[in-house]
Amino acid sequence: MTAEPERLTPGQLRTLFLFEALDADQLAWLAAHGRVERVAAGAAVYAEGAPATCFYVLLTGAVRLYRTVHGDEVEINRTDQRGVYGGATQSYLDDQEVYRNSMWAIADAEFFVLPAESFAHAVRSWFPMAMHLLEGLFIGMRNTQTVVGERERLLALGALSAGLTHELNNPASAAVRATEALRDRFAAMRHKLATIADGRLDGRRLHALVALQEEAVERVGRARPLSPLAASDAEDELTDWLDERGVTGGWELAPTLVSGGLDAAWLERVGAAVGADGLEPAVRWLAYTVDTELLLREITDAATRISGLVGAAKQYSQLDRAPYQVVDVHELLDATLVMFRAKLPAGVRVVREYDRSLPPIPAYAAELNQVWTNLIDNALGAMGDEGTLTVRTGRVDDLLTVEVADTGAGIPAQVRPRIFEPFFTTKPVGEGTGLGLDISYRIVVNKHHGDIRVTSAPGNTVFRVLLPTTPVPGPPPVSYT
């Protein structure tokens, strides 16, 4: 035979602040449906992640609430206040299937316990207006958070896309200009080749000139950029050499020849190969050769930059890759920094302090890129037009760490505890939604079972993301919006 559970009387229930405004019938219903439970000091009242079956109200004793973040217990509260409650606190919204924290008794404790379904029935039937308001608050906030979060991501993507377009436009325009100039150089080379080959040079000298042309091409490939002063001196010296030998327009040819690594001593060999009469057409032909090689190199550099930017964009978006994969966080960070290149003020210096010995980690790469985007964007906003942005990687025990640090004014101590709250922002109205850090927190903590922390002082604000180096245990949440 099962023992009858110990119950409270309606009068005893009225002494709890949660129930003091209820009428006699409501108190009697609670007394009939609830029971008293005792938990010894050091024992669990309920555990995070277990099915949320009961609503608990503290009668005597003391308890602590905590959440587990990647194996670490993060204490939320500890109290001995009579009447405090926990457990299935949102069961009336059909929105709580498991306990969202753990409660432990730190002294022998006594509770009034109400089954979750009874608690839900009481709230729904006794407070219909409050239920509508609560549903509107929770569901409305969730929907607002989803819509505003999507809008914020679109705005961030739009800003980064504009920057990427600007970055792509520069090398693309350079390649177009170089191609147009190259067409003119080829036409001039064909004309000058006809002049050289009109009978003034015999076959031996023409072969020697072609050999010198090949050598000139090799010198262009090896040429190192000169300082402005050294280049100016070399151009003056070469101009004088050309003028002395009757080559017209030497001041126009000298900069091209110097850029290709050709000097007066090398041109002496050209003069010896073709003779005085053939020197000017030969020099001009070689100048066109050098200019052509320089333009081809410019086109190659532009195409390489475009390819690099497209590769960075693909790395950033992860559109052609599996959502969950093993990734090198340095590649993700570099891709994000490339996306920000056009947005970086001239006075902001970027410092990378990477620990290249770190292993690749399993992660949702595209979503981590969103975390880096939010943290870097906040850092740039905190610094304004000048400062130092430091992106650092390292290891703490078995966790990989990524730090984004800035030299801005810092986060005031009074608002620091709230920075990860949804819709909380210190930016002026219309300039921030307050969801960037909230989304980042949920991506790191909920989806990757990691942690994100912040320390701040004027001139040194550091956001530290800690990520596990082993696969995320169990199925992750399907959404962070």
Side-chain angles (χ1 to χ4, degrees):
M1 183 175 179
T2 304
E4 182 70 17
E6 182 179 351
R7 304 186 187 278
L8 296 182
T9 65
Q12 290 171 320
L13 285 172
R14 191 181 293 280
T15 64
L16 300 170
F17 66 82
L18 195 61
F19 306 133
E20 60 186 3
L22 300 181
D23 60 33
D25 290 339
Q26 292 168 334
L27 290 172
W29 188 93
L30 286 177
H33 287 80
R35 65 182 184 274
V36 174
E37 285 189 8
R38 294 177 177 81
V39 179
V45 181
Y46 58 81
E48 181 179 357
T53 58
C54 294
F55 176 76
Y56 293 84
V57 182
L58 181 65
L59 301 175
T60 61
V63 296
R64 61 186 289 259
L65 294 178
Y66 69 86
R67 293 195 64 181
T68 303
V69 179
H70 196 70
D72 294 333
E73 293 183 4
V74 180
E75 186 169 296
I76 302 170
N77 189 24
R78 62 170 58 205
T79 180
D80 60 0
Q81 180 183 356
R82 188 172 186 270
V84 297
Y85 52 88
T89 55
Q90 294 179 24
S91 58
Y92 52 86
L93 293 174
D94 292 327
D95 192 45
Q96 185 174 6
E97 296 180 356
V98 298
Y99 292 119
R100 296 176 181 175
N101 52 49
S102 296
M103 179 186 288
W104 281 69
I106 54 178
D108 290 345
E110 188 176 51
F111 299 90
F112 172 70
V113 180
L114 197 62
E117 60 273 15
S118 298
F119 176 62
H121 170 78
V123 175
R124 289 177 189 145
S125 58
W126 295 348
F127 310 106
M129 181 177 177
M131 271 299 304
H132 289 304
L133 293 173
L134 286 171
E135 285 180 335
L137 175 65
F138 279 93
I139 297 173
M141 180 177 290
R142 181 186 300 158
N143 292 340
T144 301
Q145 189 170 343
T146 300
V147 172
V148 176
E150 291 173 352
R151 179 64 176 170
E152 178 165 275
R153 288 195 293 278
L154 284 174
L155 290 173
L157 182 60
L160 291 178
S161 297
L164 179 63
T165 303
H166 175 76
E167 286 289 308
L168 287 169
N169 184 61
N170 290 336
S173 299
V176 170
R177 289 193 302 269
T179 302
E180 291 296 327
L182 192 60
R183 183 177 293 110
D184 294 338
R185 299 304 185 275
F186 277 129
M189 282 184 70
R190 289 193 297 269
H191 173 74
K192 194 56 61 181
L193 181 60
T195 302
I196 291 173
D198 64 358
R200 299 181 196 177
L201 296 178
D202 58 28
R204 181 179 58 80
R205 288 185 173 184
L206 190 57
H207 279 296
L209 181 58
V210 171
L212 288 169
Q213 182 191 34
E214 293 298 323
E215 186 178 333
V217 171
E218 293 179 5
R219 291 177 72 97
V220 172
R222 298 194 306 266
R224 294 183 179 180
L226 299 175
S227 67
L229 181 59
S232 178
D233 291 343
E235 290 167 12
D236 290 342
E237 180 183 348
L238 196 56
T239 301
D240 293 341
W241 187 91
L242 294 170
D243 290 344
E244 291 170 3
R245 285 153 183 79
V247 177
T248 59
W251 60 275
E252 292 179 312
L253 298 173
T256 299
L257 296 170
V258 169
S259 297
L262 306 185
D263 53 20
W266 191 84
L267 290 179
E268 290 283 0
R269 295 170 54 197
V270 177
V274 301
D277 292 342
L279 180 62
E280 180 165 340
V283 168
R284 290 189 178 277
W285 189 42
L286 291 170
Y288 289 136
T289 298
V290 170
D291 207 8
T292 299
E293 286 299 315
L294 292 174
L295 288 170
L296 286 172
R297 185 159 61 177
E298 185 176 344
I299 293 172
T300 300
D301 290 343
T304 301
R305 286 179 59 196
I306 291 172
S307 178
L309 287 167
V310 171
K314 289 178 66 177
Q315 177 70 262
Y316 179 82
S317 65
Q318 298 285 313
L319 289 179
D320 59 346
R321 306 183 185 189
Y324 190 68
Q325 57 182 298
V326 176
V327 296
D328 183 343
V329 293
H330 303 111
E331 293 179 358
L332 304 183
L333 291 167
D334 285 339
T336 305
L337 288 170
V338 167
M339 299 294 287
F340 270 98
R341 190 179 294 164
K343 195 176 179 180
L344 288 173
V348 172
R349 184 170 67 101
V350 177
V351 176
R352 293 175 173 88
E353 297 180 2
Y354 292 167
D355 180 356
R356 294 291 185 178
S357 67
L358 295 175
I361 63 170
Y364 294 86
E367 296 178 21
L368 284 184
N369 282 338
Q370 187 176 356
V371 174
W372 316 144
T373 299
N374 292 337
L375 297 183
I376 292 172
D377 187 59
N378 282 349
L380 294 178
M383 291 186 290
D385 293 333
E386 60 181 24
T388 299
L389 171 70
T390 303
V391 181
R392 182 183 300 113
T393 62
R395 184 195 295 268
V396 175
D397 298 326
D398 61 339
L399 298 175
L400 181 146
T401 65
V402 175
E403 295 182 358
V404 176
D406 67 73
T407 55
I411 304 171
Q414 62 270 26
V415 305
R416 204 174 304 157
R418 300 188 60 195
I419 60 174
F420 294 110
E421 292 180 10
F423 303 107
F424 178 79
T425 179
T426 58
K427 296 178 181 178
V429 174
E431 293 188 16
T433 61
L435 285 178
L437 290 178
D438 170 58
I439 290 172
S440 298
Y441 182 89
R442 281 181 281 145
I443 289 173
V444 172
V445 176
N446 295 350
K447 198 147 193 180
H448 288 86
H449 293 199
D451 197 9
I452 181 169
R453 304 168 185 173
V454 61
T455 59
S456 184
N460 185 32
T461 296
V462 180
F463 280 86
R464 171 183 276 192
V465 174
L466 298 98
L467 297 168
T469 56
T470 55
V472 174
V478 295
S479 174
Y480 53 86
T481 57

